[in-house]
Amino acid sequence: QVQLVESGGGLVQAGGSLRLSCAASGRAFSNYAMGWFRQPPGKERDFVAAISWIGSTDYADSVKGRFTISRDNAENTVYLQMNSLKPEDTAVYYCAAAARLSTRAGDFGSWGQGTQVTVSS
């Protein structure tokens, strides 16, 4: 298992940017694929982006061209750069770790506590 702690959430106006960070500790971070999911108020948790241990990426259609996932294996950290934010991006954002690149929440065995992102119109 790997322990995950997200940071970087906050309140931003539509069109603005935020960068989320997820710091990992525990077993070798570089062995894991990492993902970001989000859960809007009253809705289910949805896939946002994922990155494999070698840097292959996958994105939800709703964030393609606006969000970028990256990782720094030396710093045991994964990032989510969010640009051109929209009110519909408002959600709690979760970082998660999996054995392989996936878009399915069920494939991710370790989760952070989440960080709130609120985009005002």
Side-chain angles (χ1 to χ4, degrees):
Q1 292 288 336
V2 60
Q3 289 75 48
L4 304 171
V5 178
E6 303 96 335
S7 61
L11 174 63
V12 63
Q13 289 189 331
S17 298
L18 280 176
R19 189 176 82 155
L20 305 183
S21 299
C22 174
S25 61
R27 298 181 64 180
F29 172 76
S30 61
N31 291 342
Y32 289 91
M34 300 298 297
W36 288 96
F37 291 76
R38 67 186 181 186
Q39 187 166 16
K43 297 185 178 181
E44 295 184 350
R45 191 173 300 188
D46 291 327
F47 170 74
V48 175
I51 186 167
S52 72
W53 68 277
I54 58 170
S56 300
T57 58
D58 200 352
Y59 294 93
D61 288 342
S62 59
V63 307
K64 281 181 181 176
R66 300 189 298 123
F67 291 11
T68 302
I69 189 171
S70 62
R71 66 189 297 163
D72 184 338
N73 288 337
E75 296 294 329
N76 288 359
T77 303
V78 62
Y79 303 97
L80 185 68
Q81 178 66 44
M82 306 186 294
N83 299 329
S84 302
L85 282 161
K86 305 175 181 179
E88 52 263 43
D89 295 318
T90 294
V92 177
Y93 283 71
Y94 297 89
C95 173
R100 61 186 184 280
L101 187 65
S102 175
T103 64
R104 304 188 336 169
D107 288 336
F108 289 79
S110 298
W111 292 83
Q113 82 289 348
T115 186
Q116 176 70 47
V117 172
T118 302
V119 184
S120 63
S121 57

